[in-house]
Amino acid sequence: MSFNSISRGLRSLTGVLVIVVALGLLVLAPIVPFVVAAADTVDATRTQVIDRPPLPENLPIAAEISTVHESSGERIAELSGVERREPVTLDQVPQVLVDAVLAIEDDEFYEHNGVNHQSVLRAAARNATAGGIEEGASTITQQYVKMTLLDPEQTLDRKMHEVVWAVELEQRLSKDEILERYLNAVYLGDGVYGFGTAAEHYFSKPIEELTLAEAATLAGTIQAPSTTNPVSDPEAAERRRDVVLSRMLAEGAIDAEDLDAARNEPLELDLREEVAAEPFWIDYVKRLIYDENMAMQPGLREAVGETRAERIDAVFEGGLRIFTTLDPAVHARANETLANHLDDPEHDPMGALITVEHATGALRAVALGPRQFGACPPDLDEDEPCLATQVNPALPNAGGSGRQAGSAFKPFVAAAAIEDGVTLDHEYDTPSGEPIEGCGFSDEDDYEPQNYGGEDGGEIELPEAMRASNNVYFVKLARDVGIERIVALAQAHGITESSNIEDFGERMCSIALGTPEIFPLEMAVAYGTWANAGVRCEPYLIERVEDRWGEVIYEHEPVCEQVVSEETAGLMRSLLYQPVASDGTAPVVGQAVPDAFGKTGTTQDFADAWFVGFAGAYSTASWIGHERPAPLRDVTIGGRYFESVTGGSLPASIWAEYMAGLDD
């Protein structure tokens, strides 16, 4: 061992022993006489210093906010736990802020070895004279050790840890590294941790743009962040700012002219508004990452953490950068269109517009309304309506259980039939109310489906049946194709989260009329298969996730599969043109979007109404219904009266207005 190493070690040990003596004065002086406390402390702590456990090998990483971004990369939300922090590098911190912090907290930071012996002795003497702890002596290094590795309890044992570990930390990290960690770790009031976050929070500006007065204001909050921050007590914050400025003058960091100018600068806060964009979307993104019950993007959860607890920590404190598929223009158009038709959260039903890019599976828009995402106020009266909801009926595992698709399910029956060799000129006689042999709950209880309005459809072929949405035709077709085959085809198209589709067995021909409960997202994905030449692409919301250091820990690759032949997909497109024709069930769609294909859907009790279709690059599901299913009859919605809401009325109008606007 070299002479210099031995000398440094002896100096460190000597310094620590000096601090041990001083700590006796600092902590014990209020209790026992000065001299006795000092003498007793030297003998009692000499062994403790030697036996003190070493500084942990892995220093804690400060909690950091995670951010959510839309498809262009723009940030749309911050996710944080108890500590709201967005770290900065020391290179980003302006010199004026460094000077302010050092002047008020540790003016000899770059000279001491982690503990300022003279400051400790000076504080110890003052505290002994005062009979209590009036002055602290912790360096920035000690403060960092205390706030990240120790509890705040004022005990000799804790202080000993702080002293020894501060010296060890200075031997492990450079001064600049310690200062950077400190500036990011310290609490600065109003739920804000770190100076980078504080600059954005209090002044709505990056840390690089802080003025002298603003830097002094922030530095002044370190000592008592709860009571001297600019929000809780602006006058106290200004007084503390002036103290910091005086110390900076004494240290030579500023001159008298700078001091006067900064003191005369009014404290003008510009509190940044919290990002609260698209709460339905953000809630789903969060849970998609940490909730093991989510089925979409299974590799995502594994990449973020092995356990739910690890994933939750990563989402709220791990500094993740989460890049999603949300297209701001498409999504804004969806929200705007929905708001044009549903504007009364107390009386109007809920609506959804879900858009998928069918060539990739990327989810581009999830618009819901008019009720906004949130919890009902706890003091809400029993007879007072709640105008918020935490149920997202459009996506699986978001509080809903799926909704009956009505006649929007009929294309699955047609696709199964075509795959089975049925041609478009296949005919059935379609009298309304006729018992259908082979359908029903038993051999003696045949199913008797009614056509809409009780009309007799006569002998018709598949295109005409799709155009008129003839119930009897599709019930007979389902019987002949086989229920099991229809279920399998629907699942292959992406109907995998339905709570009851697997309950349909032989003779349960009502499946043709859309009695399975299905989520709008699944309907949009399934219809997109026919737009995509028979290739179904699994839906996804998250493109990639980066850790706090910018390393990509997850990146999505589209998962696509040919589930029906290209020929079948072409025939399905010709069939789905029928409902939007001038004599179809949704002519408003064809008039507004000439290249549209789709199908209406209305449940038997008018509780759910749909239009699902595709045009251009997008497949979209438009759905209307109450959160708790109730008939949409004799209702006024968005100022417009409806004797009954069918898929061809409000959902089709919303879909047409929205999809036509995407081409603007």
Side-chain angles (χ1 to χ4, degrees):
M1 180 180 293
S2 70
F3 176 77
N4 288 338
S5 298
I6 295 173
S7 297
R8 284 196 301 272
L10 288 173
R11 284 198 301 272
S12 294
L13 178 59
T14 301
V16 169
L17 292 177
V18 169
I19 300 307
V20 169
V21 175
L23 285 172
L25 307 181
L26 197 64
V27 178
L28 300 178
I31 306 174
V32 295
F34 177 94
V35 177
V36 175
D40 288 348
T41 303
V42 171
D43 292 333
T45 59
R46 200 180 287 272
T47 302
Q48 292 179 26
V49 171
I50 297 172
D51 291 342
R52 196 65 45 186
L55 183 72
E57 184 67 26
N58 296 317
L59 297 175
I61 300 175
E64 179 180 344
I65 65 168
S66 294
T67 56
V68 182
H69 305 255
E70 34 92 319
S71 60
S72 69
E74 184 173 340
R75 179 189 300 191
I76 57 174
E78 294 177 357
L79 310 178
S80 63
V82 176
E83 298 184 9
R84 179 167 161 251
R85 175 187 291 109
E86 188 166 11
V88 294
T89 64
L90 191 58
D91 289 341
Q92 294 175 266
V93 181
Q95 188 61 43
V96 68
L97 178 57
V98 172
D99 292 342
V101 171
L102 295 184
I104 196 65
E105 293 297 322
D106 190 353
D107 56 12
E108 296 181 356
F109 173 70
Y110 280 98
E111 282 73 51
H112 61 64
N113 69 340
V115 182
N116 191 326
H117 311 153
Q118 293 180 347
S119 294
V120 172
L121 291 172
R122 184 171 60 247
R126 180 173 180 180
N127 292 338
T129 302
I133 298 178
E134 284 198 353
E135 179 177 329
S138 293
T139 65
I140 278 177
T141 311
Q142 288 176 262
Q143 290 182 50
Y144 176 75
V145 167
K146 174 183 174 181
M147 72 177 70
T148 61
L149 294 168
L150 300 170
D151 62 61
E153 188 179 8
Q154 285 274 41
T155 66
L156 179 59
D157 185 67
R158 197 274 298 161
K159 198 69 178 177
M160 289 305 308
H161 264 93
E162 179 186 305
V163 168
V164 175
W165 282 359
V167 173
E168 286 189 54
L169 184 64
E170 293 256 353
Q171 295 171 347
R172 185 182 300 183
L173 301 178
S174 71
K175 286 286 187 179
D176 284 353
E177 288 173 328
I178 293 170
L179 181 59
E180 179 176 295
R181 285 172 176 253
Y182 173 81
L183 294 175
N184 284 316
V186 68
Y187 179 56
L188 296 170
D190 212 31
V192 173
Y193 290 78
F195 282 91
T197 319
E200 292 282 0
H201 177 71
Y202 291 118
F203 302 112
S204 292
K205 62 173 60 175
I207 193 171
E208 296 93 333
E209 297 178 10
L210 288 174
T211 67
L212 169 60
E214 291 166 346
T217 299
L218 295 182
T221 67
I222 296 174
Q223 187 180 80
S226 297
T227 56
T228 61
N229 75 71
V231 171
S232 65
D233 192 337
E235 292 183 359
E238 284 191 328
R239 289 194 299 270
R240 185 65 180 161
R241 175 201 66 187
D242 293 346
V243 171
V244 174
L245 291 169
S246 296
R247 293 290 292 271
M248 293 178 74
L249 178 67
E251 292 296 320
I254 59 174
D255 57 27
E257 185 178 347
D258 295 328
L259 175 71
D260 291 340
R263 280 183 171 173
N264 290 326
E265 183 178 314
L267 178 59
E268 294 182 351
L269 298 183
D270 184 8
L271 295 176
R272 189 185 65 170
E273 294 184 8
E274 295 300 317
V275 179
E278 313 310 333
F280 282 109
W281 179 268
I282 299 305
D283 179 68
Y284 203 79
V285 166
K286 290 186 297 187
R287 293 192 299 106
L288 189 61
I289 295 175
Y290 70 70
D291 189 348
E292 63 275 10
N293 296 312
M294 304 293 267
M296 200 184 304
Q297 296 187 257
L300 169 65
R301 288 168 288 286
E302 181 181 340
V304 173
E306 291 185 6
T307 67
R308 182 187 181 95
E310 288 176 352
R311 294 190 292 270
I312 288 176
D313 285 345
V315 167
F316 294 104
E317 298 182 347
L320 301 180
R321 302 295 178 262
I322 305 161
F323 295 88
T324 72
T325 60
L326 191 74
D327 184 309
V330 175
H331 184 72
R333 177 65 185 172
N335 275 324
E336 178 186 345
T337 306
L338 210 56
N340 288 342
H341 297 268
L342 303 169
D343 58 7
D344 184 351
E346 182 176 351
H347 300 104
D348 285 350
M350 284 293 284
L353 275 171
I354 310 300
T355 296
V356 173
E357 188 177 82
H358 45 246
T360 63
L363 188 52
R364 297 304 186 190
V366 175
L368 295 123
R371 298 172 73 187
Q372 299 301 306
F373 183 85
C376 298
D379 56 350
L380 196 69
D381 293 337
E382 287 187 9
D383 58 347
E384 189 177 357
C386 177
L387 306 184
T389 180
Q390 291 181 314
V391 174
N392 180 341
L395 308 183
N397 298 302
S401 58
R403 306 300 289 248
Q404 290 190 0
S407 292
F409 192 85
K410 288 172 180 174
F412 298 113
V413 180
I418 292 170
E419 282 284 280
D420 199 37
V422 173
T423 58
L424 300 191
D425 59 0
H426 191 77
E427 282 189 343
Y428 287 114
D429 188 24
T430 59
S432 186
E434 174 191 34
I436 307 297
E437 186 179 352
C439 295
F441 293 105
S442 67
D443 292 338
E444 292 77 29
D445 184 21
D446 289 337
Y447 185 40
E448 301 178 0
Q450 301 282 333
N451 291 322
Y452 183 72
E455 295 181 357
D456 186 347
E459 292 273 350
I460 58 174
E461 298 177 351
L462 185 50
E464 185 180 351
M466 189 71 76
R467 183 167 60 252
S469 196
N470 187 284
N471 290 338
V472 175
Y473 185 98
F474 282 97
V475 168
K476 289 183 175 181
L477 187 60
R479 175 199 61 191
D480 294 344
V481 171
I483 309 304
E484 184 177 344
R485 186 184 296 273
I486 294 168
V487 168
L489 180 131
Q491 291 174 328
H493 279 66
I495 311 299
T496 58
E497 297 289 334
S498 171
S499 62
N500 68 338
I501 194 169
E502 292 188 346
D503 296 337
F504 287 83
E506 187 180 2
R507 297 184 60 87
M508 297 182 69
C509 305
S510 64
I511 191 172
L513 307 187
T515 46
E517 295 170 346
I518 304 173
F519 294 96
L521 171 61
E522 295 182 304
M523 293 293 284
V525 170
Y527 273 54
T529 302
W530 302 315
N532 199 34
V535 176
R536 183 218 8 103
C537 293
E538 293 183 7
Y540 70 99
L541 284 75
I542 296 177
E543 292 279 8
R544 74 179 188 278
V545 178
E546 297 175 359
D547 64 18
R548 67 174 72 211
W549 298 283
E551 293 293 324
V552 177
I553 61 174
Y554 172 82
E555 189 158 17
H556 181 79
E557 292 290 339
V559 180
C560 301
E561 179 185 0
Q562 189 87 40
V563 296
V564 292
S565 69
E566 188 171 346
E567 180 183 2
T568 295
L571 292 173
M572 288 303 301
R573 288 195 296 274
S574 70
L575 287 176
L576 292 173
Y577 174 74
Q578 305 303 316
V580 304
S582 59
D583 56 346
T585 55
V588 63
V589 171
Q591 293 165 5
V593 188
D595 62 338
F597 304 84
K599 181 69 182 75
T600 54
T602 311
T603 57
Q604 188 172 9
D605 56 1
F606 295 94
D608 298 278
W610 302 70
F611 185 87
V612 188
F614 49 87
Y618 301 120
S619 175
T620 295
S622 172
W623 166 83
I624 300 291
H626 285 287
E627 188 173 314
R628 295 181 179 179
L632 295 171
R633 281 179 166 171
D634 191 25
V635 291
T636 298
I637 300 174
R640 179 181 170 191
Y641 174 76
F642 295 88
E643 182 178 344
S644 59
V645 177
T646 64
S649 59
L650 189 55
S653 296
I654 291 173
W655 194 99
E657 179 182 327
Y658 164 60
M659 293 293 282
L662 292 184
D663 296 328
D664 292 347

